[in-house]
Amino acid sequence: MAEVSLQGEQRVFMTGNEVVAWAALAANVDIMYGYPITPQNEIMHYWTRLAPKYGKRFLQVEDEISAGFTTLGGVLSGRKAFTATAGPGNVLMQESAGMAEMMRLPIVYVIQQRGGPSTATVIYSQQETTLTTFGGNGEGHRIVYSTATHQELFDYTVKAFNSAWTYRFPTFVLGDGYQAKMREPLTIYNPGERGIELVNPETILGDTSPGKQFRHLRNTYNTEDELYSVVMKHQREWEEMAPKVVEWDTMGCEDAEIVVVCHGVVARAARSACDQLRARGRKVGFFRPVTLRPFPAEQLRAVLGHAGKMVVAESAYGQLLKLVQTAIFGSTIPIVPMLRPGVGITTEEIVEVISTL
């Protein structure tokens, strides 16, 4: 495999979409397959600027369905490949994600969430949480990283390719329209120079070199028992993987009487709110699932052991809340929902809600 094109470390100031393109370069991605949709368009634009300079490739296809399946084709041929989309495009790509779950194909999707349902807005939301974690007609055998900052967009895009090629489950980087469009500083770097070993891709189909055995990958089965056996094997392997990839972030939960639970960009407002409330003497903690799938259920239950209330803040109407309720099933802690579908949540709004508790 060729050397990673990005060398050294650079402090930069760029949009989140530009960050994703540079992260894919740092991960030594071979090709992006894409179709334009706001707010992810510039991932394609920046990638097409970078690709010719570094021997990479890009193919624009006729729609998001094609983008998902051509990316699977790239993966099958042994290429590190990815696609990016948002909103209705994410819906259309779920069929390819389901095929990737069934055939265990290491595809990477970058999702910059926009308001829904349907076309709705091209701005921002967290309304693709359910779709991304459990989309399609399977069991959600996938990995979903929810990012909050541009640095995380870079870090977790690189990590997504390693996770996908290590565990062979489809992997999503779940960003949003705010992250896509705003600019902020971060450090981009060569992963190898930080001790991060990139997982090399391999040809999944079509390898005719001597000694290679015939492979038969299937996404359709003839009997119920046969399907059950395959899906349960995937479930066991997903459960074995889950503790190795699950990630979370906490602050001030050791003595917290109120814990704010949120994910993605809302975490920025929640952290600031917790700092302000702590300065006023309120014992408020913060918990963020970084992986929405697998969800850090055990870790969340642990921080709620002595809390009296939990506030769930999200820019959707209960999609994170459902994940939380499943994770803490049996707990009697009161939950205060702060549900704002398709609308940003500010520090001041979180402070105001908690101040009334």
Side-chain angles (χ1 to χ4, degrees), residues 249-262 270-271 273-274 277-278 282-289 299-313 320-321 324 328 333-338 350 353-354 357:
D249 183 24
T250 65
M251 182 183 74
C253 289
E254 298 80 9
D255 63 346
E257 296 172 354
I258 299 172
V259 175
V260 182
V261 181
C262 55
R271 273 185 169 275
C274 288
L277 290 161
R278 283 265 171 184
R282 298 294 302 274
K283 293 182 178 179
V284 180
F286 161 90
F287 183 92
R288 174 171 76 104
Q299 293 79 12
L300 176 58
R301 287 194 297 267
V303 305
L304 295 178
H306 45 71
K309 285 190 175 74
M310 172 171 51
V311 175
V312 176
L320 174 64
L321 178 60
V324 169
I328 65 167
I333 187 171
I335 300 176
V336 179
M338 188 176 178
I350 296 173
V353 167
I354 295 176
L357 301 178

Side-chain angles (χ1 to χ4, degrees), residues 153-231:
L153 266 178
F154 187 90
D155 297 343
Y156 284 103
T157 298
V158 172
K159 180 175 281 190
F161 289 97
N162 268 4
S163 296
W165 282 94
T166 297
Y167 301 107
R168 301 300 176 95
F169 288 107
T171 302
F172 293 79
V173 178
L174 188 63
D176 60 70
Y178 287 169
Q179 294 179 61
K181 300 294 186 179
M182 70 182 180
R183 294 179 181 271
E184 69 180 18
L186 72 147
T187 301
I188 61 175
Y189 52 85
N190 179 318
E193 294 173 3
R194 289 195 172 188
I196 302 169
E197 184 177 352
L198 298 180
V199 179
N200 290 335
E202 64 174 2
T203 303
I204 297 173
L205 286 182
D207 187 347
T208 58
S209 58
K212 288 293 182 180
Q213 293 185 342
F214 176 78
R215 256 181 198 169
H216 183 199
L217 300 182
R218 301 169 62 188
N219 70 327
T220 181
Y221 293 88
N222 298 323
T223 69
E224 294 173 353
D225 290 344
E226 191 178 21
L227 174 62
Y228 175 79
S229 176
V230 172
V231 173

Side-chain angles (χ1 to χ4, degrees), residues 82-96:
F82 81 111
T83 188
T85 192
N90 193 4
V91 174
L92 293 174
M93 288 189 184
Q94 289 305 314
E95 187 177 0
S96 64

Side-chain angles (χ1 to χ4, degrees), residues 16 18 61 100-101 113 115 172 197 202 213 217 266 295 326 329 353 356:
E18 191 173 4
V61 294
E101 287 183 29
Q113 298 170 92
F172 293 79
E197 184 177 352
E202 64 174 2
Q213 293 185 342
L217 300 182
V266 177
F295 193 88
T326 299
F329 179 75
V353 167
T356 65

Side-chain angles (χ1 to χ4, degrees), residues 25 104 145 163 180 189 193 235 292 301:
L25 186 70
R104 301 293 296 275
Y145 295 110
S163 296
Y189 52 85
E193 294 173 3
Q235 180 65 32
L292 295 179
R301 287 194 297 267

